[in-house]
Amino acid sequence: MFKKSILLIFSVVVLILGGCGASESSSGGDSSKSDPSKEDKKLLSDEEFEKMFSEPKKYKGSGVDFYARVFIEPERDSDGTYLQAFANNHDERNVVIMSEDPSLEIASEDIIHVKGVIKDTFEGENAFGGQVTAPAILAETVEVSDYQTAFAPAKETIELNEEQNQHGYILEVQKVELADQETRVYVKVSNEMDAKINFYSFDAKLTADGKQLEEEMNYDAGYQEVQSDILPGVESEGIIVFPAIPEEMTEFTLYFEGSSENWELTLEPFVFDVVLP
């Protein structure tokens, strides 16, 4: 029997998915080693998946394909790995997931891509006395993903790969990704000077149609950031996020500023014109 842990929910889920009896029993199945790929399942559409949270039992046996963020450290035993996550990065879309892989390398805060089958509804208490109601899902596959793939996919990608060099301070805009939620600019700064250089992403600007957009921090995404202090011979790269731009926009301009600790040098703003295909 799976040992008790800080979240009682996981030990209960083993019973639900294994058909060994729980507050909500599973339908059919001859063992906890059921093969979801052999079940006659209909894959839920995005709209049906959202509706499913209000009445999970109605969708038992249905296939699901979704992204989620793990919010509790996974539990494991010899039968598998047990996860609790927020589907679609929404804290009201709690799901309980079992993978039959005990060695699954997933950690709390990981963003995952899950394909599987809805087995039942879990209803119970966690170790803190809180009520938990969530779809119980038996996973076919669980893979680690990233924020931009899962929750803010690019509608358009502009491969710019353009660099500007001022006295050995090199700034390259690698690409720009346009998503419904945000605009992502991939930047690399290289220091070929003899002195330390500085780069501050909050000085970056995006201008178009007479409007100026500032950097918009997305702490939830955990994007890599360009370092602010860069020593000689070092390069640093990261993602700068701006608000989403209107679909009808055909071009815009990016402005970046940098400085050097060699005060004899003057650096002008780095300016890049981006034309959408």
Side-chain angles (χ1 to χ4, degrees):
M1 181 66 181
F2 184 67
K3 64 181 181 180
K4 284 189 176 182
S5 65
I6 190 169
L7 279 180
L8 184 61
I9 187 170
F10 287 107
S11 59
V12 177
V13 167
V14 177
L15 298 177
I16 291 176
L17 298 183
C20 299
S23 61
E24 297 286 349
S25 60
S26 296
S27 61
D30 54 3
S31 73
S32 62
K33 293 296 184 181
S34 60
D35 183 356
S37 64
K38 294 181 180 178
E39 297 188 32
D40 182 17
K41 61 181 184 296
K42 171 184 176 292
L43 183 65
L44 297 184
S45 66
D46 292 344
E47 182 179 356
E48 290 170 328
F49 184 76
E50 286 297 311
K51 290 180 179 178
M52 179 269 299
F53 284 91
S54 63
E55 197 176 1
K57 291 183 72 67
K58 178 180 176 181
Y59 295 89
K60 284 175 59 173
S62 297
V64 290
D65 184 340
F66 65 98
Y67 291 93
R69 183 188 294 275
V70 178
F71 66 89
I72 293 294
E73 197 62 33
E75 299 287 348
R76 296 174 176 83
D77 67 1
S78 59
D79 290 324
T81 301
Y82 314 99
L83 310 171
Q84 199 170 0
F86 291 136
N88 298 332
N89 204 33
H90 194 306
D91 60 9
E92 294 183 3
R93 298 290 182 262
N94 185 10
V95 292
V96 177
I97 304 161
M98 174 184 174
S99 166
E100 294 180 319
D101 180 2
S103 60
L104 188 66
E105 295 185 4
I106 300 292
S108 178
E109 297 304 319
D110 276 351
I111 294 171
I112 56 175
H113 183 196
V114 180
K115 295 180 181 180
V117 179
I118 300 170
K119 297 299 291 186
D120 216 311
T121 302
F122 169 78
E123 296 178 354
E125 285 189 354
N126 60 25
F128 305 102
Q131 292 297 315
V132 177
T133 300
I137 294 171
L138 178 59
E140 297 175 23
T141 61
V142 180
E143 298 176 342
V144 176
S145 185
D146 55 53
Y147 182 92
Q148 53 265 57
T149 300
F151 307 129
K155 299 183 300 181
E156 189 92 48
T157 299
I158 300 97
E159 298 285 351
L160 204 61
N161 295 316
E162 181 181 331
E163 71 175 32
Q164 297 178 15
N165 187 339
Q166 297 188 52
H167 312 293
Y169 188 128
I170 303 172
L171 194 151
E172 178 186 5
V173 176
Q174 299 166 321
K175 65 179 178 179
V176 177
E177 291 180 341
L178 308 180
D180 287 333
Q181 302 86 345
E182 62 189 15
T183 300
R184 296 185 290 269
V185 181
Y186 291 70
V187 172
K188 180 169 74 172
V189 177
S190 304
N191 185 2
E192 295 185 0
M193 291 183 172
D194 294 327
K196 184 172 71 173
I197 62 175
N198 307 107
F199 177 84
Y200 299 106
S201 62
F202 56 75
D203 286 328
K205 306 287 188 293
L206 185 158
T207 65
D209 296 335
K211 296 180 181 179
Q212 176 176 299
L213 302 181
E214 312 282 341
E215 179 187 25
E216 187 174 78
M217 298 300 295
N218 185 343
Y219 297 104
D220 203 29
Y223 293 142
Q224 181 177 339
E225 299 179 14
V226 180
Q227 293 167 291
S228 57
D229 299 320
I230 303 173
L231 296 173
V234 174
E235 60 183 35
S236 179
E237 54 189 301
I239 299 174
I240 301 175
V241 179
F242 296 97
I245 62 174
E247 290 187 5
E248 63 272 15
M249 188 174 291
T250 58
E251 60 183 359
F252 56 84
T253 301
L254 297 168
Y255 291 84
F256 306 96
E257 294 186 18
S259 62
S260 168
E261 293 195 353
N262 181 347
W263 309 117
E264 297 179 356
L265 299 177
T266 299
L267 296 176
E268 300 296 330
F270 296 84
V271 181
F272 297 83
D273 293 320
V274 180
V275 178
L276 279 61

